[in-house]
Amino acid sequence: MDVMEELAESSEFNESKGPCLAFRQAASVLKSLPSAVRCLGAIQGLPWLGEHTKAVMEEILTFGRSFKVEEIRCDERYQALKLFTSVFGVGPKTAEKWYRRGLRSLKEILTEPNIQLNRMQRAGFLYYSDISKAVSKAEAEALGCIIEETVHWIAPDAVLALTGGFRRGKEYGHDVDFLLTVPEMGKEEGLLLHVIDRLRDQGILLYCDHQGSTFDVSKLPSCRFEDMDHFQKCFLILRLEEGQVEGERGLQRDPGDSRGWRAVRVDLVAPPVDRYAFALLGWTGSKQFGRDLRTFARKERQMLLDNHALYDKTKRNYSYRRLLRRTSLPIWVWSMWSLGREM
Ligand code: GTP
Ligand code: MN
Ligand code: MN
């Protein structure tokens, strides 16, 4: 399945959206299987496995490797784009631009005089070795405690939830995602800014990109999964001290590293309380699960789902109570999860 992720990534770099999605879907089906596939017969009848995927799997089962994937791994362009996009703030477009200028390593980018990095990319390079290391569950929990204390010091009735991969039970993640809100509508507006100020005062805010809410109730839902939601949010880099992490392993870092702290990427999202359930569902992920759920809503239920609401065909959105009574949304979620979509 890692092979499928690599194929998806390579298609993404080539702007082949169809194949990219197909390989991601194949990867999530393979991940959901109870055991490793040992013969082609085992994947007969499974959904989302197309000809391409099956051909790659046949190669692996027959020769123990895929020549197509090995070719991609050796490809200079793939290697460079993969390296460049591993920097926080660098997307495929910027990576491609750098590649076209003949740049191949991170050092070359930093020493090339004509390259202007934006603030996010500068932070990405500055903390590169830390934020490219996986974040453990113990580290995520430690950050959860810090943020909870900060949030509750400002608003004792605020609600904070750990979302993203850790809410799905993953042991490691590339960042830590949180949702926060307050019971009184509109009060969440100032809360996030207040939290950021307080993290800065504590000396643990290494980087902050705050995006105000662009939420407009009259706007139609966005059907494109790739479009970000309109909630107020911030992408942060926080400083986590060694003593704050429980467990024998402590901080995830290099063996010789004696700094006593590491940088961690954190996302905070602050939806208004009446959108909380949709935001929680959307931000729990996985991305593939979110995509599938939206497709299911549209194709099987003739409704539109995004991170803000579930809309009926007349474009009026459902309230919580009507949602539970009329649409059986929780049942869809449960049944899709139990069907083993990617966790
Ligand atoms: P790791 O952080 O790698 O462990 O995985 P993750 O699933 O937590 O991924 P990530 O932190 O990137 O995103 C968390 C969830 O937020 C995703 O699963 C998505 O549901 C949601 N999300 C993030 N980016 C987008 C986006 O661009 N569009 C939409 N619609 N949702 C997004
Ligand atoms: Mn995450
Ligand atoms: Mn995230």
Side-chain angles (χ1 to χ4, degrees):
M1 72 204 178
D2 290 343
V3 165
M4 298 305 157
E5 301 276 13
E6 283 177 86
L7 287 165
E9 202 171 24
S10 158
S11 313
E12 191 174 14
F13 292 153
N14 294 328
E15 292 185 50
S16 315
K17 283 202 181 119
C20 172
L21 266 184
F23 286 127
R24 288 218 195 284
Q25 248 152 357
S28 71
V29 170
L30 295 176
K31 262 187 231 175
S32 73
L33 297 177
S35 59
V37 176
R38 302 211 187 281
C39 64
L40 270 185
I43 55 167
Q44 284 293 324
L46 288 177
W48 302 117
L49 302 184
E51 290 313 310
H52 257 97
T53 307
K54 284 191 177 148
V56 171
M57 292 192 67
E58 195 168 350
E59 258 189 329
I60 295 176
L61 292 169
T62 316
F63 305 107
R65 54 203 250 225
S66 159
F67 301 103
K68 167 119 183 87
V69 174
E70 280 177 10
E71 199 181 295
I72 289 172
R73 279 183 197 150
C74 296
D75 182 59
E76 198 185 16
R77 180 168 172 272
Y78 174 78
Q79 285 176 0
L81 296 191
K82 194 173 168 65
L83 178 67
F84 297 164
T85 52
S86 73
V87 179
F88 174 53
V90 180
K93 285 211 180 86
T94 306
E96 178 76 43
K97 203 169 72 191
W98 293 346
Y99 177 76
R100 290 221 179 123
R101 289 171 76 160
L103 301 165
R104 297 293 179 265
S105 69
L106 297 183
K107 200 167 165 212
E108 278 169 13
I109 288 164
L110 289 173
T111 50
E112 163 74 43
N114 294 325
I115 286 207
Q116 288 283 333
L117 298 176
N118 63 29
R119 206 170 67 86
M120 193 182 246
Q121 291 160 349
R122 283 203 302 273
F125 275 104
L126 186 58
Y127 300 109
Y128 184 76
S129 71
D130 271 0
I131 57 185
S132 52
K133 259 181 214 80
V135 185
S136 71
K137 197 187 254 183
E139 289 173 326
E141 280 161 6
L143 279 160
C145 292
I146 295 168
I147 292 172
E148 183 162 11
E149 206 179 285
T150 308
V151 168
H152 286 148
W153 184 81
I154 297 165
D157 58 352
V159 180
L160 180 75
L162 178 65
T163 60
F166 290 109
R167 184 158 189 262
R168 305 197 303 278
K170 275 173 56 172
E171 290 293 326
Y172 290 94
H174 95 283
D175 69 353
V176 195
D177 309 279
F178 294 97
L179 226 60
L180 67 148
T181 193
V182 272
E184 203 178 320
M185 282 285 290
K187 279 261 171 82
E188 77 284 347
E189 286 276 332
L191 178 64
L192 193 57
L193 287 169
H194 216 132
V195 169
I196 294 168
D197 281 343
R198 182 94 187 125
L199 293 171
R200 191 178 289 119
D201 293 345
Q202 291 174 70
I204 59 173
L205 189 73
L206 299 174
Y207 171 83
C208 172
D209 172 25
H210 174 265
Q211 301 190 348
S213 163
T214 50
F215 191 64
D216 180 351
V217 191
S218 62
K219 256 195 209 140
L220 290 178
S222 160
C223 302
R224 275 169 42 92
F225 178 77
E226 283 68 27
D227 294 340
M228 256 293 177
D229 59 50
H230 299 290
F231 301 128
Q232 180 185 200
K233 57 178 77 70
C234 58
F235 307 109
L236 310 175
I237 300 177
L238 296 184
R239 180 184 162 116
L240 183 63
E241 304 290 331
E242 186 157 39
Q244 292 169 317
V245 184
E246 289 195 4
E248 56 196 77
R249 297 212 44 203
L251 287 181
Q252 300 289 312
R253 57 183 176 171
D254 293 330
D257 189 342
S258 57
R259 281 174 307 161
W261 65 276
R262 70 163 285 187
V264 185
R265 271 270 304 115
V266 173
D267 290 339
L268 299 181
V269 187
V273 69
D274 69 335
R275 307 286 148 159
Y276 183 75
F278 301 100
L280 186 62
L281 180 60
W283 275 85
T284 301
S286 67
K287 291 197 173 94
Q288 196 55 46
F289 181 75
R291 252 188 224 113
D292 286 350
L293 202 57
R294 285 175 192 211
T295 308
F296 178 84
R298 199 175 62 244
K299 296 213 168 133
E300 309 283 331
R301 293 289 179 272
Q302 285 74 48
M303 288 185 212
L304 296 174
L305 174 71
D306 66 8
N307 282 3
H308 314 100
L310 180 68
Y311 305 80
D312 67 14
K313 276 175 128 184
T314 59
K315 306 287 188 285
R316 247 178 284 133
N317 57 305
Y318 280 100
S319 70
Y320 271 162
R321 234 174 255 135
R322 272 173 71 208
L323 180 80
L324 295 177
R325 211 172 49 229
R326 297 266 306 277
T327 68
S328 55
L329 178 67
I331 298 175
W332 308 351
V333 175
W334 177 81
S335 55
M336 289 190 64
W337 239 325
S338 62
L339 278 174
R341 306 307 297 172
E342 192 249 310
M343 302 298 277

